Amino acid sequence: MLYKSTASMLTSSSWIPRQALARTTVASSLLIPHRNVAARTRFFSIVASAQSPPPPPQYSSTASSESNAVRRPRVLVTGSLGQLGSGLVKQLRTMYGNENVVASDIRKAPNELMENGPFIYADVMNYPMLERIVVDWRIDWIVHYSALLSAVAEKNPALALSVNMTGFQNVLELAKVHRLRLYSPSTIGAFGPSTPKVDTPDLTIMRPNTIYGITKLHMELLGEYYREKFGVDFRSARYPGVLSADTPPGGGTTDYAVDIFHHAIRHGHYDCFLSKDTRLPMMYLSDCIKGTIDHLTHPTPLPQSVYNIAAVSFTPEELATEIRKYLPHFTISYPDPARPDFRQAIADSWPASLDDSMARRDFGWKEEYGFESMVKLMLDKIQAQVDAEKFSPTTAAMTA
């Protein structure tokens, strides 16, 4: 049976898609048992040949003795080069050992990630490739981060449908066939303009009007269906905007809340693409990773599959005012109300704040960083990066 490769279509959570590569790979040597062909291809019209991933580690007597006691889970993280994926991989490797957390993406990984544990090429549009990885590496859990984010998805709706929906359907079917635990985050974008905007609960009206939100609501409903119908251990949390000083923004509407710090320190001014009073829920990256791990590692399935998690809510003007406590001369400008940025309509369809009381009750979710402490941490980290750049050998050579 022939499969056409669409690996170039895939993007990780931190990558704005470039022009697709004009290359197609066809293979005819893939053997799939006849009884599984229909089930595995019914929903997955875009798949590719199972290219060979790096060989999995050889298991020693140490690994054998570990399995006789309590075997640590082996985790596959897709889209691991994104803002969230890279941080989660690092934390999971601390918990379960470097060899037990397999990072993956379709881009070349930085040396730090390569040196600290396995990294492999994995195209989430390619079901046979993913299945071979699951089998060869003895994967127990999948954390699925490969997706196009809100602003990028709105500019590339066809690609977003393919990556966000087909990619998820592939990992969900793998979770069913191989009895895996599957964690795939959702978003505040899964709600919509008719959703109550203040203290939005877990269960409410959900009619998203962006392609990103539509694909994420599809993910939530399909994951819950597989949990009820097939017993898949599917888990998800609706992420708010996530702030981090360590990785660049990934094409999301809430990215202004990261960009603003870089511009404040480097330039003293920021042109915001949202209006001054646009209130959105946010959290710091380490809190997001902590909440994800608390949810992922809970020993038993929880009363519901999908939870809200959040920490604070603020507007661009409130954020600028807090930054001025440390940088008094910082200025900010906003779009002409008569000509709003296209991301304003996306933000206006999202909640202003979330009710995450169910996550706090069911798996102990609690943030560490509030508004003021998060702002100070972002400024301190980015200032340290700027200071390090001034004294780097490359910068010295350029200014000499």
Side-chain angles (χ1 to χ4, degrees):
M1 184 171 291
L2 303 182
Y3 295 89
K4 291 194 293 184
S5 173
T6 57
S8 60
M9 295 177 63
L10 179 63
T11 180
S12 74
S13 56
S14 70
W15 182 51
I16 298 176
R18 302 182 177 89
Q19 182 177 356
L21 299 176
R23 177 171 65 89
T24 302
T25 302
V26 180
S28 59
S29 59
L30 178 64
L31 300 179
I32 301 178
H34 182 271
R35 61 184 174 86
N36 288 332
V37 169
R40 297 185 185 184
T41 60
R42 186 175 297 118
F43 297 110
F44 316 122
S45 59
I46 306 177
V47 294
S49 59
Q51 302 166 18
S52 299
Q58 299 299 314
Y59 300 104
S60 63
S61 58
T62 303
S64 177
S65 62
E66 177 185 326
S67 64
N68 291 332
V70 178
R71 179 176 174 269
R72 295 178 177 181
R74 179 154 288 151
V75 189
L76 172 66
V77 181
T78 68
S80 66
L81 297 186
Q83 178 192 46
L84 293 163
S86 56
L88 183 70
V89 166
K90 182 177 180 180
Q91 188 62 35
L92 288 175
R93 284 176 174 172
T94 300
M95 295 171 60
Y96 298 127
N98 291 352
E99 72 283 358
N100 286 318
V101 181
V102 182
S104 72
D105 213 303
I106 61 165
R107 294 181 293 139
K108 183 180 178 181
N111 290 337
E112 178 184 4
L113 194 63
M114 294 288 291
E115 292 168 354
N116 291 330
F119 178 88
I120 60 175
Y121 177 93
D123 177 359
V124 298
M125 307 285 282
N126 183 333
Y127 183 89
M129 175 189 287
L130 290 177
E131 185 162 48
R132 179 168 181 175
I133 292 169
V134 166
V135 172
D136 285 354
W137 287 83
R138 301 200 305 171
I139 298 299
D140 303 296
W141 300 350
I142 295 179
V143 179
H144 181 59
Y145 273 140
S146 293
L148 266 67
L149 300 186
S150 57
V152 177
E154 208 61 21
K155 291 183 176 180
N156 300 274
L159 183 61
L161 287 171
S162 294
V163 174
N164 294 10
M165 294 176 69
T166 304
F168 174 70
Q169 288 171 192
N170 281 340
V171 295
L172 184 61
E173 184 69 9
L174 283 171
K176 184 189 83 170
V177 172
H178 298 282
R179 310 304 299 173
L180 311 177
R181 181 176 299 179
L182 174 60
Y183 186 95
S184 184
S186 188
T187 167
I188 55 174
F191 291 109
S194 57
T195 299
K197 290 187 70 70
V198 178
D199 291 336
T200 304
D202 289 334
L203 301 178
T204 186
I205 299 168
M206 300 181 71
R207 294 184 59 83
N209 62 354
T210 65
I211 200 68
Y212 178 57
I214 290 167
T215 61
K216 286 299 186 178
L217 181 55
H218 163 272
M219 181 212 73
E220 291 187 20
L221 295 175
L222 193 61
E224 290 176 340
Y225 174 82
Y226 267 60
R227 171 175 165 163
E228 295 299 320
K229 185 75 173 179
F230 305 115
V232 172
D233 188 355
F234 165 72
R235 308 180 185 201
S236 181
R238 297 187 187 110
Y239 289 167
V242 179
L243 277 67
S244 170
D246 300 323
T247 54
T253 301
T254 56
D255 282 348
Y256 89 86
V258 176
D259 277 341
I260 191 172
F261 291 98
H262 291 276
H263 284 263
I265 290 175
R266 297 173 188 273
H267 310 294
H269 178 80
Y270 180 59
D271 293 318
C272 186
F273 54 77
L274 296 181
S275 65
K276 63 189 300 182
D277 57 352
T278 303
R279 183 174 300 279
L280 292 169
M282 304 278 185
M283 65 168 48
Y284 191 66
L285 177 64
S286 61
D287 280 335
C288 186
I289 291 173
K290 177 182 179 296
T292 298
I293 289 176
D294 288 346
H295 192 185
L296 171 68
T297 60
H298 196 274
T300 58
L302 293 162
Q304 58 196 59
S305 295
V306 186
Y307 289 84
N308 293 341
I309 58 172
V312 298
S313 292
F314 53 79
T315 68
E317 185 62 22
E318 289 171 349
L319 181 54
T321 299
E322 187 67 20
I323 290 173
R324 288 192 194 102
K325 293 181 180 179
Y326 304 92
L327 302 172
H329 301 294
F330 171 64
T331 59
I332 186 170
S333 60
Y334 302 100
D336 180 351
R339 295 186 298 174
D341 186 275
F342 78 98
R343 288 165 287 193
Q344 185 64 52
I346 297 175
D348 288 343
S349 72
W350 292 353
S353 60
L354 295 177
D355 175 3
D356 57 2
S357 58
M358 296 298 99
R360 296 175 186 272
R361 180 198 69 185
D362 291 348
F363 60 91
W365 155 245
K366 180 175 174 54
E367 75 280 2
E368 179 182 356
Y369 292 99
F371 179 51
E372 294 82 3
S373 58
M374 184 164 53
V375 170
K376 185 177 187 308
L377 181 62
M378 288 288 291
L379 289 171
D380 288 346
K381 284 199 164 194
I382 294 172
Q383 185 63 63
Q385 293 171 11
V386 171
D387 292 343
E389 291 169 5
K390 291 178 181 178
F391 299 102
S392 68
T394 302
T395 304
M398 292 176 62
T399 56

